[in-house]
Amino acid sequence: MLSCGWLLALSLAALTGRTTGAVAYEQTERDCSLYPPYLPSTAVNTTLQLQELRERMLPLNISAYIIPGTDAHLSEYIAPRDARMAFMTGFTGSAGTAVVTQTKAALWTDSRYWVQAERQMDCNWELEKDVSIRNVAEWLISEVPSGSEIGFDPFLFSLKTQGDYGVNLESSNRSLKSIPVNLVDQVWKDRPSIPPDNLTLLPDRVIRGSWQMKVEQIRNQMRDNPYKPTALLLSALDETAWLFNLRGSDIPYNPFFYSYTLLTIDEIWLFLHTVRVTEELKVYLNASCEGPLCVQLKSYESILDHLKTYVAQPDIKVWIGTEYTNYALYEVITPADKLMTSSYSPVLTTKAVKDETEQRILREAHVRDAVAVIQLLMWLEKTVPKGKETELTAAEYVNMCRGKQKDSRGPSFETISASGPNAALAHYSPTEATSRRLTVDEMYLVDSGGQYLDGTTDITRTVHWGTPTALQKEAFTRVLMGNIEISRTIFPSGTREPHFSICVNMEMLGRRALWEVGLNYGHGTGHGVGNYFGVHEWPVGFQGNNIPFRAGMFTSIEPGYYKENDFGIRIEDVAVIIPVQTKYGQDYLTFDTVSLVPYDRKLIDTSLLSSEQLQWLNKYYKTIRRLLGPELDKQGLNEEKDWMFRNTEPFMASGSSASVCSSSLTLIVLPVALFHIV
């Protein structure tokens, strides 16, 4: 909960259009222009770790050191022990790059996190807002002398990242220097250890096939490939987890474990922390035999040496997915004729398409998840007018409700529970220090999800318990229009060539109703979702570098709008891509929404909706009643069922409507900055 001083500061900001003076800084962001600088209580003192890191840099003769916010598997979500960027900077956002020289330190992150960074970093750090590698390189060129070497950990760089730095630095007489021993790890004295938990075998009822079947499926793709790879290297954590039907707990909110796999036509090597391998697991993996379906268990740290040994053999060709293979592994696969690349491995592209069993159980998980979200919204509707609930208690409540559902394995990410100005921060999550009291006078946004044995969920709803302003109501309705326009669109199932234009047009569908009145949002419009995997499952989504949509893929659809220091709106549903019958054409697809929670009625201006949009909305509400009603009956939740029926009453058309016409879209290439995923 924030103090009255915070509320006064917001009031002043609303009147003046900016935040100035000491009051505005009492509990929000740093001000390094003051003397002494103002630092909020959320800022972290980084002086000591910077001093020690700079001392480590000196004997290596490097003028700068780059610290990415990822791990050796190029994961989006990382374990506490891999949060090197957070340790050095104090900034805990999920995206960013830090650079340290002997005299300066800078952090690059995107617009989702600018305010968070200003709240968490001390004045040792500069905040840079152009996240391109070109901008980082230009900063390095301006800060380190000609002839300098710039250190980096090759395990934390992708092939593209290393290449982009090289291209941008090559004409400046400055170069990258690979340092395989991470310098931050040497400074980080209390670095968290690897969790001791054993791995989990998935029950048969929630897997698409045995690991032996999956191995043969991938080997068949290797055999059919015209370049004839002899081995496939799997580096992304969800690749190995999927291939062997295993789950772990190394990464918060994500059921993964540290691992690599090297799969050949007749051998399998699994690299992991072998101390956690039980006798049961050894039997399950056929670890005591030799043969094409026997898994040879190797230590996690031995992957580099083993790969070198394998590549040294004649007539070898290793297939890698460049998006998730780190540079340290890539650079040992030499000469070039021993390497075969694709953006994504065949495991990721195969896993993206769910079979009938996976589709069914993922739908079932969303039904149970909807019960938990409805319990939250109904509870808040009752309790917020009493003035006792906060952003933090709301987050705790929805996670408690999910925990009571069948096969629950906890939240799928840190719950975004945000009211008023906090909701304008796309990735804000409440803490004891920042949690605001919920009131009937402000918008409230909750973006949450659950991990279940049969699926992963992700849903966002925005509500208002009082009287929304005209802008809030119009903005919400236009966000909803974007959600509906994507959800109801029909599009061809095509090859990669037209896929980028399809993605861009769908992005436009999500934004056009907002664009018409000069509004927009600065994040991506959707991402893949898995079956008890990561809540952001690549390579599915609306970006140009995603793979073409196919029937059986699940994606989120999540347009939004954020008014700085005032309110935020996001509507997020998960949908499965399904075949659709058209009058003339064959092989067309559409989306079927599997999230089952109604939207806030008081925020919907039906006069803005076209008849087609209104028809879609009423059909969706019928689906909620049909699928959710029996589950609420089964759980004996009569009050929640009554609430659901009241909030899914059909809408009647009123007044004039503003249609969003998908047939008249013009291809526009959207800026890359718009594609950061929420």
Side-chain angles (χ1 to χ4, degrees), residues 215-354:
V215 164
E216 285 305 307
Q217 183 180 15
I218 300 304
R219 280 174 169 162
N220 286 336
Q221 294 185 52
M222 295 168 63
R223 294 185 183 100
D224 294 341
N225 191 287
Y227 296 99
K228 302 302 178 184
T230 62
L232 173 67
L233 176 63
L234 302 179
S235 295
L237 297 182
D238 56 341
E239 293 178 314
T240 292
W242 177 86
L243 186 65
F244 296 109
N245 294 324
L246 296 174
R247 299 296 187 269
S249 58
D250 290 350
I251 314 297
Y253 307 114
N254 294 263
F256 303 145
F257 55 98
Y258 289 111
S259 57
Y260 297 97
T261 296
L262 187 62
L263 175 68
T264 74
I265 298 300
D266 50 17
E267 289 185 284
I268 310 168
W269 292 284
L270 171 57
F271 302 85
L272 75 172
H273 294 97
T274 54
V275 294
R276 59 176 42 166
V277 179
T278 63
E279 289 301 319
E280 178 189 19
L281 189 58
K282 290 178 181 178
V283 172
Y284 169 77
L285 294 172
N286 296 333
S288 60
C289 64
E290 294 183 4
L293 291 176
C294 299
V295 180
Q296 301 178 53
L297 302 177
K298 302 292 183 180
S299 71
Y300 176 78
E301 294 79 8
S302 68
I303 175 62
L304 194 62
D305 290 338
H306 189 92
L307 185 60
K308 288 179 181 178
T309 300
Y310 178 79
V311 172
Q313 302 176 78
D315 302 320
I316 292 298
K317 188 179 288 292
V318 181
W319 186 357
I320 65 170
T322 57
E323 290 290 330
Y324 291 99
T325 302
N326 64 56
Y327 187 75
L329 298 180
Y330 162 79
E331 65 181 346
V332 304
I333 307 175
T334 56
D337 62 0
K338 292 193 174 185
L339 178 70
M340 173 189 154
T341 65
S342 58
S343 294
Y344 304 102
S345 78
V347 167
L348 285 184
T349 55
T350 301
K351 178 168 69 70
V353 179
K354 317 305 181 192

Side-chain angles (χ1 to χ4, degrees), residues 17-30:
R18 58 194 178 96
T19 56
T20 59
V23 172
Y25 289 101
E26 282 182 2
Q27 294 192 13
T28 54
E29 303 169 27
R30 65 180 183 168

Side-chain angles (χ1 to χ4, degrees), residues 74-289:
L74 308 179
S75 307
E76 177 185 6
Y77 294 98
I78 58 177
R81 69 189 319 267
D82 290 316
R84 300 174 179 92
M85 181 183 69
F87 169 73
M88 290 302 305
T89 67
F91 167 67
T92 60
S94 66
T97 299
V99 178
V100 177
T101 71
Q102 287 297 331
T103 58
K104 286 190 176 181
L107 171 78
W108 284 258
T109 191
D110 63 71
S111 59
R112 295 171 297 167
Y113 295 115
W114 291 343
V115 173
Q116 180 179 338
E118 296 286 8
R119 291 178 176 180
Q120 293 182 320
M121 294 195 304
D122 64 10
C123 291
N124 285 312
W125 290 87
E126 301 174 1
L127 175 62
E128 301 290 336
K129 297 183 177 181
D130 182 345
V131 298
S132 66
I133 289 179
R134 178 180 178 180
N135 184 264
V136 181
E138 289 175 350
W139 186 92
L140 283 164
I141 292 169
S142 69
E143 295 298 332
V144 301
S146 177
S148 295
E149 290 187 310
I150 298 159
F152 75 103
D153 181 346
F155 284 95
L156 303 183
F157 267 40
S158 69
L159 282 60
K160 185 178 187 304
T161 299
Q162 194 278 342
D164 287 350
Y165 274 111
V167 167
N168 283 281
L169 292 172
E170 64 181 354
S171 61
S172 70
N173 195 29
R174 294 160 180 85
S175 60
L176 290 176
K177 181 177 182 179
S178 175
I179 303 174
V181 178
N182 192 281
L183 301 188
V184 176
D185 293 352
Q186 295 180 336
V187 172
W188 197 354
K189 297 179 178 60
D190 56 349
R191 184 184 176 209
S193 59
I194 297 170
D197 301 354
N198 292 326
L199 307 184
T200 301
L201 306 179
L202 286 179
D204 291 341
R205 62 184 172 85
V206 298
I207 59 176
R208 70 187 293 174
S210 69
W211 68 261
Q212 291 92 339
M213 292 173 57
K214 291 181 177 180
V215 164
E216 285 305 307
Q217 183 180 15
I218 300 304
R219 280 174 169 162
N220 286 336
Q221 294 185 52
M222 295 168 63
R223 294 185 183 100
D224 294 341
N225 191 287
Y227 296 99
K228 302 302 178 184
T230 62
L232 173 67
L233 176 63
L234 302 179
S235 295
L237 297 182
D238 56 341
E239 293 178 314
T240 292
W242 177 86
L243 186 65
F244 296 109
N245 294 324
L246 296 174
R247 299 296 187 269
S249 58
D250 290 350
I251 314 297
Y253 307 114
N254 294 263
F256 303 145
F257 55 98
Y258 289 111
S259 57
Y260 297 97
T261 296
L262 187 62
L263 175 68
T264 74
I265 298 300
D266 50 17
E267 289 185 284
I268 310 168
W269 292 284
L270 171 57
F271 302 85
L272 75 172
H273 294 97
T274 54
V275 294
R276 59 176 42 166
V277 179
T278 63
E279 289 301 319
E280 178 189 19
L281 189 58
K282 290 178 181 178
V283 172
Y284 169 77
L285 294 172
N286 296 333
S288 60
C289 64

